Amino acid sequence: MRIRSVGMIATALAVALTAAACGGNDKSSTSSDNKAATDPKSLSASLTWWDTSDPKNEAPAFQELIKKFNATYPNVKVDYQSVPFADAQNKFKTAAAAKSGAPDILRAEVAWVPELASLGYLYNLDGSDLLKDESDFLPTPMSADKYEGKTYGVPQVTDSLALLYNKKIFAAAGITAAPKTWAEVKTAAATIKSKTGKQALFINSGGYFLLPFIYGEGGDLVDASAKKITVNSPQAVAGIKIAQDLVKDGTAVKPPANDAYGNMMTLFKEQKVAMIINGPWEVNGIKDAPAFGGLDNLGIAPVPAGSAKAGAPVGGHNYTIWSGMPKEKVAAAVAFVKFMSSAESQAFLADKLGLLPTRKSAYDLPGVKDNATIAAFKPVLDAAVARPWIPEGGQFFGPMDKMAVEVLVQNKDAKASLDTVAKTYKSEIVKDYSN
């Protein structure tokens, strides 16, 4: 298939992108020789951006950044659209396949990028102005933007799950340090209940939130290099049983059948539960919760370890550009993404929301280097486990969510539930993998 080159202008440089070819074929790019300087005010376009961040806690800060962008690019109109995270992936795929209604720019969860790239729905950014300083991005977040050796996005934020805890409850119980293993969590829970009467732990009944338990025993969902399904391996089963036992023995609150995540956050913000497993995206909401006591009361530590290690999944989001965008808009899209992913913009988001930058240089800027919350998440990121960046990776969690409800809420057999997940992976998701 002939490769389509598109001239792009970003911060006074004209560069070139190549549209991703359909069906996952050759998506290499060519560089433009046009180096003409451009006045940002002369750049004119109307862009649509689907933002999948939390509309209450995070979206206002992103909208502030758009205003800052327009101070430099007054003639680039950004149609900001808040799209529910749970709907965005399939909604984008449907629109892109129809070649109508897809946004020019998508805030994509890290696992979506390989799939969307394999379908030909994203621009290949290699050779563009966006990647001139690629070495400034942290390697693990950047790795989620790669597919078959080419680059289809730039990292917006990175994250991982941590143990978030209430310092006041810990102090009242005489606990001076966060538990480092699940066995220590049990001991701490007993102390918290006996001395404060509070609930100790809430484990959200979602598959993503159970990955620390699987990783802790040395397991994973799949082995991509061996093309093998491992979600029902002995290690994975052992990890899920640890989580189930924490609920069964009362260490953790039994999640409700509906809106477990919302219940978890309400109990934590109202100081009715001492510990949860969650990420930096909730920091702003916790800070603003009237009953919690501000960030001075928030403790952050790596997730407790199992018998093998302590580890939580690498998460985060990336900026991606739709390959079906009219070529005359690409220059504006690149300018927008470059601004939004800059070290200064990332530092702004870190200061406002506690989100973790993906650029090394951002950690030296005000709002980041002196931010205690960001510093507390550093050891969390150091222990984070990269997920398999394969096109099917974004489809793993539907079956895992069902399993989590079965095990934590309905108390079904962990091995049987994971066997069902493995069968679903084999029949519907990674059909060429062994199990």
Side-chain angles (χ1 to χ4, degrees):
M1 180 176 293
R2 187 172 68 87
I3 299 170
R4 175 165 63 99
S5 293
V6 181
M8 304 193 311
I9 302 171
T11 60
L13 288 177
V15 297
L17 281 180
T18 297
C22 299
N25 293 322
D26 185 12
K27 305 176 185 65
S28 61
S29 65
T30 61
S31 297
S32 170
D33 292 329
N34 184 0
K35 302 294 183 181
T38 298
D39 177 3
K41 292 181 181 179
S42 71
L43 192 60
S44 178
S46 180
L47 302 173
T48 301
W49 178 33
W50 281 7
D51 178 22
T52 58
S53 70
D54 182 274
K56 182 179 179 181
N57 291 335
E58 298 177 301
F62 290 111
Q63 290 171 305
E64 278 191 64
L65 277 180
I66 292 174
K67 292 179 181 178
K68 292 176 180 287
F69 169 76
N70 282 138
T72 302
Y73 293 91
N75 297 314
V76 178
K77 180 183 177 183
V78 180
D79 180 10
Y80 173 91
Q81 296 183 14
S82 179
V83 179
F85 176 79
D87 302 335
Q89 183 181 14
N90 288 331
K91 188 176 180 180
F92 180 85
K93 287 195 293 184
T94 299
K99 299 181 180 179
S100 175
D104 302 309
I105 299 154
L106 171 70
R107 177 184 184 263
E109 203 271 344
V110 287
W112 301 353
V113 176
E115 179 188 16
L116 298 178
S118 74
L119 294 170
Y121 296 160
L122 302 180
Y123 268 112
N124 171 11
L125 303 178
D126 290 318
S128 80
D129 202 30
L130 289 172
L131 299 181
K132 282 190 173 181
D133 57 353
E134 181 177 347
S135 62
D136 189 40
F137 287 105
L138 298 171
T140 301
M142 193 70 222
S143 71
D145 288 296
K146 306 288 185 178
Y147 175 67
E148 293 188 343
K150 299 178 178 65
T151 311
Y152 294 92
V154 293
Q156 181 200 46
V157 297
T158 188
D159 61 53
S160 190
L161 294 172
L163 183 72
L164 307 184
Y165 61 94
N166 187 304
K167 292 180 180 179
K168 291 179 182 177
I169 296 177
F170 270 40
I175 300 173
T176 58
K180 295 182 179 180
T181 67
W182 296 116
E184 290 182 8
V185 168
K186 283 192 174 188
T187 301
T191 303
I192 288 167
K193 287 183 179 180
S194 65
K195 292 191 175 181
T196 72
K198 305 278 188 179
Q199 296 284 344
L201 175 67
F202 196 118
I203 304 170
N204 181 43
S205 53
Y208 187 79
F209 291 79
L210 294 186
L211 287 179
F213 294 93
I214 293 176
Y215 294 158
E217 299 307 304
D220 206 335
L221 305 184
V222 299
D223 181 341
S225 61
K227 302 193 99 175
K228 181 176 176 62
I229 295 166
T230 60
V231 69
N232 59 338
S233 68
Q235 294 85 355
V237 173
I240 296 302
K241 282 184 175 179
I242 289 173
Q244 185 178 46
D245 287 345
L246 290 172
V247 174
K248 287 171 67 174
D249 68 15
T251 297
V253 177
K254 182 178 180 179
N258 298 310
D259 194 19
Y261 186 93
N263 277 268
M264 173 179 70
M265 293 313 303
T266 296
L267 291 175
F268 189 65
K269 290 175 183 178
E270 294 180 352
Q271 301 200 66
K272 294 177 180 177
V273 66
M275 295 176 279
I276 61 173
I277 300 166
N278 217 331
W281 55 86
E282 281 293 352
V283 168
N284 199 47
I286 293 169
K287 177 185 69 176
D288 294 338
F292 188 77
L295 292 184
D296 288 343
N297 191 34
L298 177 63
I300 301 167
V303 293
S307 64
K309 64 180 180 181
V314 169
H317 295 84
N318 305 320
Y319 292 108
T320 59
I321 298 175
W322 178 36
S323 61
M325 171 196 293
K327 63 181 180 181
E328 61 268 18
K329 297 169 65 173
V330 176
V334 171
F336 179 68
V337 170
K338 185 170 184 178
F339 175 87
M340 296 294 283
S341 62
S342 69
E344 291 76 15
S345 292
Q346 292 192 10
F348 172 83
L349 293 174
D351 186 44
K352 282 276 187 179
L353 304 175
L355 300 180
L356 308 181
T358 62
R359 284 187 177 274
K360 301 170 188 175
S361 59
Y363 286 86
D364 295 324
L365 296 178
V368 181
K369 66 179 181 180
D370 51 356
N371 189 312
T373 301
I374 301 297
F377 270 103
K378 179 62 167 59
V380 174
L381 290 181
D382 290 342
V385 178
R387 291 144 64 188
W389 307 129
I390 58 176
E392 301 86 358
Q395 302 173 48
F396 286 152
F397 291 101
M400 285 291 290
D401 289 344
K402 183 178 180 182
M403 176 279 299
V405 171
E406 289 177 352
V407 172
L408 297 186
V409 180
Q410 301 169 1
N411 196 31
K412 291 189 176 181
D413 181 73
K415 176 66 164 62
S417 290
L418 287 171
D419 282 344
T420 300
V421 175
K423 290 177 183 177
T424 302
Y425 282 8
K426 178 65 177 175
S427 63
E428 298 179 13
I429 301 174
V430 282
K431 299 178 182 179
D432 59 336
Y433 278 38
S434 63
N435 57 6

